[in-house]
Amino acid sequence: MRILLLCSAFNGLSQRVHRELELLGCTVSVQLATGDADMQEAVDEFRPRLIVCPFLIHRIPAAIWQKIPCLVVHPGIEGDRGPSSLDWAIVHNHSEWGVTLLQACEEMDAGDIWGTATFPMRAAPKAAHYRREVTATAAALVKKAIAALDDASFSPRPLDESSAPGQLMPTMTQADRAIDWHNDSTDTVLTKLRAADSLPGVREEIGGTVVNLFNAEREPALRGTPGEFIARSGGALCRATVDGAVWIRQAKPSGGIKLPAVRVLAPLLQSLPAEVDNPVAEIREIRTERRGDVAYLYFNFPGGAMSTEQCRALLGAYRELQSSDARVIALMGGEDFWSNGIHLNVIEAAEDPAEESWQNINAIDDLVQALIETDDKLTVAALRTNAGAGGAMMALACDYVLLREGVVLNPHYRSMGLHGSEYWTYLLPRRVGDKRAAALTEQCMPLLATEALQIGFGDEVFDEQWDVYTRELENFCQHLAENPDLAAQLQAKASMRAADEAQKPLQQYRDDELEKMRAVFFDPQAQYHRSRACFVYKRPAQETPARLRKKARFWQRAVFS
């Protein structure tokens, strides 16, 4: 079956749906919403039986939806309509929300319903719900819809607004999101910030400059004058409320890019508050937990991006665990992403982006080198969340890669105009072979957890349910630590590393990779600089990349043959 994905961006949800459909045996092409004429041309050329819109904020031309069924993923319960569904669900403190798959028609979000399902809400930002609950629910609904196409007894049902639990809601404005620091409670402040994360943020004027605030956590102890910034920790700032305080981790000046809050707001404040030595656990980007002989290393970096400083701090935390008596170290990543490699926003904002790129790639290479050279412990990459570029490659430096079902990987760099480093030329072929390594890095397509397992990129895929995955992960790690053959396993690991070193020194892989990276970093005309700017400023695509159009089937054959 030929299925066309119409997307405003090929985001995580779109990638998940793309790979799920491919695994069902469908031939999938992607068209970004770059204009009515482009969308019509893609339909005419591909002639799909069905169009699926996992993430679409543009209107579908009537000439398309009147001829071909177009199924739109709406992140809301049945009857909910409007572009701010999750925002209002968080603001109204709904305990349950959902996803509805509906057929496009003249009126937005009012078409016939192909399926709907609900999920419990968490005390989490909008983007966190979208990446986890919305994505999983939407993928399941799309797969059911594909099965329904060949079911003669199925027909979508019209929306009955009189009985539907949802309703038409207006677009949430900055006036709706505005925080009154002298009257709003901490709960209200957190709710407004979470409903605006990761877009558009809560807009305020600070020091005469308009900024948007993002990524907030509750502070349990510190207090101060409402609205005042009273403490800092790393890149985060603590701001007092009428009955407590909140930490703000990120900010973005009007027309600028999202960066650590201290970096954006410090120049706007009359004085910078004092650094807190031991901040609340939720605001610590890097933390460790010990359960028995297993050490768990969490690194919850916003967006999964790892700056030079963050890479060095993470390496320091890892070194401490290396020197402990833990038998197993599990790298847990963050709540929303495991890792996406170097920090393009920090690089873009640097005085010398080329030099910052160079420092950043060397810092992450140092971390990966430490993982590779750990010979007295077993290491586990716990891929609970998506990973890309250098972050995906970093996982392969661990002895075991344990994926949560539904996780999407992007183990490639070329779409950013880079060759890549993180020792991928050693780690990836060792796992998947030269042919598949070339397909993954050259064709730049996403990889679903089950596909990663199939080709040897991962070792286990555990349940998609967060709590179940955590339990299965901990059981696996504890079994490794208690294995009576652990000493022999470590000896075999050390022998294999020594044999690899004798064949080609690890330093040679790094030197070869960094030679190519340096040439790009310090070339002002390199594609990398243009691609990076487009990424960090969220500029919409002007055309659909050729790799996404009618090439998915050929990519699958190349990788899995």
Side-chain angles (χ1 to χ4, degrees), residues 111 163 276 449:
S163 61
V276 175

Side-chain angles (χ1 to χ4, degrees), residues 349-558:
E351 184 176 337
D352 186 345
E355 180 61 29
E356 180 58 33
S357 298
W358 181 245
Q359 295 297 326
N360 202 166
I361 197 64
N362 274 280
I364 197 170
D365 278 3
D366 290 344
L367 174 60
V368 176
Q369 180 183 350
L371 292 171
I372 295 171
E373 293 180 340
T374 299
D375 58 7
D376 61 340
K377 304 180 192 302
L378 293 179
T379 55
V380 173
L383 290 176
R384 308 177 296 166
T385 44
N386 295 353
M393 300 304 185
M394 183 174 76
L396 300 182
C398 294
D399 300 311
Y400 294 91
V401 178
L402 309 180
L403 299 126
R404 186 170 65 91
E405 188 167 359
V407 159
V408 176
L409 307 175
N410 279 279
H412 52 80
Y413 308 83
R414 288 197 177 190
S415 58
M416 191 52 61
L418 292 172
H419 172 270
S421 191
E422 293 91 8
Y423 297 91
W424 79 262
T425 53
Y426 168 61
L427 297 169
L428 187 59
R430 187 179 66 162
R431 275 274 185 170
V432 304
D434 292 334
K435 182 179 179 181
R436 285 173 176 157
L440 288 168
T441 55
E442 293 174 9
Q443 298 178 19
C444 300
M445 295 299 290
L447 190 69
L448 202 57
T450 49
E451 297 175 299
L453 179 65
Q454 180 183 342
I455 66 173
F457 193 103
D459 298 291
E460 298 283 349
V461 174
F462 294 151
D463 198 280
E464 185 162 6
Q465 288 285 337
W466 193 261
D467 292 342
V468 178
Y469 172 86
T470 301
R471 183 168 62 249
E472 292 177 339
L473 167 73
E474 292 179 355
N475 289 340
F476 186 96
C477 291
Q478 195 60 40
H479 176 76
L480 289 179
E482 295 173 353
N483 186 352
D485 296 327
L486 177 61
Q489 190 174 359
L490 291 173
Q491 181 58 49
K493 171 184 174 180
S495 298
M496 184 177 298
R497 174 82 277 280
D500 288 349
E501 185 71 12
Q503 184 174 10
K504 181 178 179 178
L506 200 59
Q507 186 64 42
Q508 188 62 54
Y509 287 100
R510 178 169 178 159
D511 290 345
D512 292 346
E513 292 171 357
L514 290 181
E515 181 181 7
K516 296 181 176 65
M517 294 290 274
R518 185 176 181 85
V520 171
F521 289 158
F522 290 93
D523 175 7
Q525 304 306 316
Q527 175 202 332
Y528 160 67
H529 300 294
R530 298 188 297 275
S531 298
R532 184 187 69 239
C534 288
F535 175 83
V536 302
Y537 285 103
K538 307 301 180 188
R539 294 168 183 162
Q542 299 302 306
E543 61 181 8
T544 303
R547 72 180 191 277
L548 301 181
R549 297 190 64 174
K550 294 186 288 187
K551 291 187 178 181
R553 171 76 70 168
F554 301 112
W555 174 83
Q556 186 183 43
R557 187 177 299 129

Side-chain angles (χ1 to χ4, degrees), residues 139-178:
L141 288 174
V142 170
K143 289 195 288 185
K144 288 181 180 179
I146 299 305
L149 280 174
D150 295 322
D151 183 354
S153 65
F154 173 83
S155 61
R157 55 185 174 81
L159 170 65
D160 183 353
E161 296 187 60
S162 63
S163 61
Q167 60 181 311
L168 174 64
M169 296 295 292
T171 300
M172 186 175 287
T173 66
Q174 284 296 336
D176 299 315
R177 303 181 192 278

